[in-house]
Amino acid sequence: MGIYAVTGSASGMGAASAAVLRENGHTVIGVDLHDADITADLGTAEGRRSAVRGILDASGGLLDGVAAVAGVGPAMKDAGAVASINYFGPVALLEGLRPALARSSAGRAVVIGSNSSTTVPMIDEKLVDLLLTGDEDAARDHARSAQAALPAELGQSAPSISAYATSKFALARWVRRTAVTPSWAREGVLLNVIAPGAVITPLMLGSTGAGEEPDADDFPTPMPLGVFGRPEDIAFWVHQFLRPEARFTTGATLFVDGGTDAAMRPDAQPTALTF
Ligand code: NAI
């Protein structure tokens, strides 16, 4: 049986992922702001260092998998914090834990992105560049000034929608670039993204401002299956990506969104290689 670290383990998809791993007999080290084996704020550099230290101590320096699930939604008021939590949090954690994953015979990492990265037309290219170059202070400053420049009506229910979608976009790009580098791929550590759509969790209900579950057919983005996701729908795929048998997929983004991305961008994939 394996040993796995799960961030965001106190709620929603992270809690469901930790539960599936435990049901399958694995040891889970949960990380969250509260109610976790390791309490740490992944929005700060010190919190990330302490989370990595705590996970390495608890695992003895060998990990079979990491599920980086913790994150915040577009209702967060501070776009700078969104950049720190949603992008730098998982990136620093995964970089810090990569050597421990490489010690496993089947190291696996999965990151929770979002289908907002491809279905929200507010990706901030400058912020993408700052995130991918790893300049956290500049990224936070830019995210805040870009947020201040947005029309006030956008700021009502989703004040950091652009930083949110952009942080998840950059995260998926980081995974795609990183997963194929020798220090991951040739060490046998596989790294993939799950891009959920609307999943009923405290974060999602807070982001819609509805408080209670809305009707899928009244949702602002298309929901072809006519239902919202449940945390268990994401946990199922988290578990699949973390299994040792999942050994030939890396750098991929899997949309688990009830068909929203396909409905909004039917012809976006496949993309032909051009000369
Ligand atoms: P949730 O709010 O139920 O769970 C998120 C967990 O992350 C919470 O336990 C929270 O305490 C933890 N967390 C937040 N900030 C943290 C920090 N600075 N340090 C450590 N832990 C922190 O939300 P949900 O929906 O389960 O979200 C999981 C992931 O899925 C997030 O990355 C979110 O952005 C993403 N997502 C959610 C969607 C949805 O519809 N619910 C859609 C697409 C992506």
Side-chain angles (χ1 to χ4, degrees):
M1 289 296 115
I3 180 152
Y4 293 87
V6 177
T7 72
S9 59
S11 178
M13 302 176 199
S17 300
V20 169
L21 290 166
R22 288 195 179 106
E23 279 157 21
N24 280 272
H26 301 299
T27 300
V28 175
I29 305 165
V31 182
D32 208 303
L33 290 170
H34 52 82
D35 300 314
D37 303 299
I38 295 168
T39 53
D41 181 355
L42 299 171
T44 69
E46 179 44 38
R48 293 169 206 141
R49 279 194 292 273
S50 111
V52 168
R53 269 196 310 271
I55 293 168
L56 294 178
D57 284 350
S59 65
L62 186 154
L63 275 175
D64 296 298
V66 176
V69 184
V72 288
M76 185 99 178
K77 290 202 171 54
D78 177 4
V82 172
S84 286
I85 297 166
N86 283 4
Y87 180 83
F88 292 104
V91 167
L93 191 93
L94 290 164
E95 285 176 338
L97 296 176
R98 191 199 56 78
L101 289 164
R103 280 181 207 113
S104 167
S105 56
R108 305 282 182 264
V110 64
V111 184
I112 300 298
S114 170
N115 76 348
S116 299
S117 57
T118 53
T119 62
V120 170
M122 295 179 71
I123 300 302
D124 178 338
E125 290 294 343
K126 168 86 180 155
L127 181 55
V128 172
D129 286 347
L130 292 169
L131 294 169
L132 285 165
T133 53
D135 191 339
E136 186 167 4
D137 289 341
R140 286 170 68 96
D141 288 348
H142 176 79
R144 286 178 180 140
S145 35
Q147 181 184 28
L150 283 178
E153 55 278 17
L154 269 176
Q156 299 288 310
S157 60
S160 57
I161 182 67
S162 174
Y164 174 74
T166 302
S167 66
K168 298 292 194 180
F169 181 96
L171 187 58
R173 185 165 284 176
W174 177 83
V175 165
R176 196 168 162 80
R177 288 181 179 179
T178 303
V180 294
T181 59
S183 58
W184 288 79
R186 291 303 167 108
E187 296 288 329
V189 184
L190 278 54
L191 171 62
N192 293 289
V193 182
I194 294 170
V199 177
I200 300 295
T201 66
L203 180 154
M204 187 270 201
L205 294 175
S207 299
T208 58
E212 60 191 41
E213 186 168 332
D215 188 324
D217 290 328
D218 295 335
F219 205 62
T221 51
M223 301 298 298
L225 294 181
V227 291
F228 293 111
R230 306 283 153 186
E232 296 70 26
D233 297 320
I234 307 303
F236 171 83
W237 289 108
V238 167
H239 181 217
Q240 301 311 310
F241 274 121
L242 294 180
R243 293 174 62 163
E245 295 86 348
R247 56 192 183 93
F248 200 49
T249 302
T250 201
T253 295
L254 177 70
F255 287 88
V256 184
D257 72 346
T260 300
D261 182 69
M264 290 181 73
R265 310 184 314 130
D267 299 337
Q269 290 178 24
T271 311
L273 185 65
T274 49
F275 292 103

Tab-separated table of all heavy atoms in Angstrom, residues 6 51 57 75 120 125 142 175 179 183 194 213 236:
chain	number	residue	atom	x	y	z
A	6	VAL	N	-2.131	14.725	0.164
A	6	VAL	CA	-3.282	15.375	-0.483
A	6	VAL	C	-3.441	16.757	0.130
A	6	VAL	O	-3.627	16.880	1.355
A	6	VAL	CB	-4.588	14.572	-0.261
A	6	VAL	CG1	-5.775	15.309	-0.884
A	6	VAL	CG2	-4.470	13.170	-0.839
A	51	ALA	N	4.970	22.908	4.810
A	51	ALA	CA	4.179	21.757	4.322
A	51	ALA	C	5.107	20.691	3.745
A	51	ALA	O	4.956	19.501	4.043
A	51	ALA	CB	3.174	22.216	3.275
A	57	ASP	N	8.789	14.588	6.596
A	57	ASP	CA	8.941	13.959	7.916
A	57	ASP	C	7.943	12.811	8.080
A	57	ASP	O	8.287	11.716	8.502
A	57	ASP	CB	8.683	14.974	9.040
A	57	ASP	CG	9.862	15.915	9.215
A	57	ASP	OD1	10.925	15.643	8.602
A	57	ASP	OD2	9.715	16.918	9.942
A	75	ALA	N	-14.373	33.923	-6.133
A	75	ALA	CA	-15.025	34.833	-5.184
A	75	ALA	C	-14.009	35.478	-4.246
A	75	ALA	O	-14.344	36.421	-3.515
A	75	ALA	CB	-16.081	34.079	-4.375
A	120	VAL	N	-13.214	30.653	-19.708
A	120	VAL	CA	-13.410	32.051	-19.270
A	120	VAL	C	-12.537	32.936	-20.170
A	120	VAL	O	-11.319	32.789	-20.187
A	120	VAL	CB	-13.000	32.227	-17.787
A	120	VAL	CG1	-12.976	33.700	-17.401
A	120	VAL	CG2	-13.941	31.445	-16.873
A	125	GLU	N	-2.470	37.432	-20.274
A	125	GLU	CA	-1.202	36.861	-20.780
A	125	GLU	C	0.004	37.353	-19.996
A	125	GLU	O	0.965	36.621	-19.784
A	125	GLU	CB	-1.028	37.188	-22.273
A	125	GLU	CG	-1.997	36.450	-23.183
A	125	GLU	CD	-1.791	34.922	-23.214
A	125	GLU	OE1	-0.708	34.447	-22.798
A	125	GLU	OE2	-2.723	34.216	-23.625
A	142	HIS	N	0.769	42.567	-10.224
A	142	HIS	CA	0.070	42.697	-11.504
A	142	HIS	C	-1.384	42.231	-11.376
A	142	HIS	O	-2.298	42.885	-11.887
A	142	HIS	CB	0.788	41.900	-12.594
A	142	HIS	CG	0.044	41.930	-13.882
A	142	HIS	ND1	0.106	43.020	-14.733
A	142	HIS	CD2	-0.850	41.068	-14.427
A	142	HIS	CE1	-0.703	42.791	-15.755
A	142	HIS	NE2	-1.297	41.623	-15.593
A	175	VAL	N	2.487	22.394	-15.886
A	175	VAL	CA	2.481	20.921	-15.835
A	175	VAL	C	2.907	20.355	-17.182
A	175	VAL	O	3.749	19.450	-17.251
A	175	VAL	CB	1.085	20.386	-15.433
A	175	VAL	CG1	0.960	18.901	-15.733
A	175	VAL	CG2	0.824	20.657	-13.951
A	179	ALA	N	6.254	18.210	-16.997
A	179	ALA	CA	6.087	16.749	-16.909
A	179	ALA	C	7.033	15.998	-17.840
A	179	ALA	O	7.428	14.873	-17.547
A	179	ALA	CB	4.642	16.391	-17.241
A	183	SER	N	13.925	15.415	-15.303
A	183	SER	CA	13.902	15.223	-13.852
A	183	SER	C	12.542	14.712	-13.361
A	183	SER	O	12.424	14.212	-12.244
A	183	SER	CB	14.312	16.496	-13.109
A	183	SER	OG	13.474	17.537	-13.466
A	194	ILE	N	-6.092	17.592	-13.712
A	194	ILE	CA	-7.537	17.403	-13.879
A	194	ILE	C	-8.152	18.795	-13.905
A	194	ILE	O	-7.869	19.624	-13.033
A	194	ILE	CB	-8.134	16.587	-12.721
A	194	ILE	CG1	-7.589	15.149	-12.748
A	194	ILE	CG2	-9.660	16.580	-12.783
A	194	ILE	CD1	-7.941	14.337	-11.515
A	213	GLU	N	-27.665	24.922	-4.096
A	213	GLU	CA	-27.354	24.359	-5.416
A	213	GLU	C	-28.256	24.938	-6.497
A	213	GLU	O	-29.479	24.840	-6.425
A	213	GLU	CB	-27.514	22.831	-5.338
A	213	GLU	CG	-27.075	22.163	-6.610
A	213	GLU	CD	-26.957	20.646	-6.439
A	213	GLU	OE1	-26.688	20.188	-5.314
A	213	GLU	OE2	-27.146	19.950	-7.446
A	236	PHE	N	-12.483	10.210	-8.097
A	236	PHE	CA	-12.330	8.987	-8.897
A	236	PHE	C	-11.117	9.113	-9.814
A	236	PHE	O	-10.260	8.225	-9.883
A	236	PHE	CB	-13.609	8.740	-9.718
A	236	PHE	CG	-13.455	7.634	-10.729
A	236	PHE	CD1	-13.605	6.315	-10.345
A	236	PHE	CD2	-13.132	7.920	-12.046
A	236	PHE	CE1	-13.432	5.280	-11.276
A	236	PHE	CE2	-12.963	6.900	-12.980
A	236	PHE	CZ	-13.116	5.580	-12.594
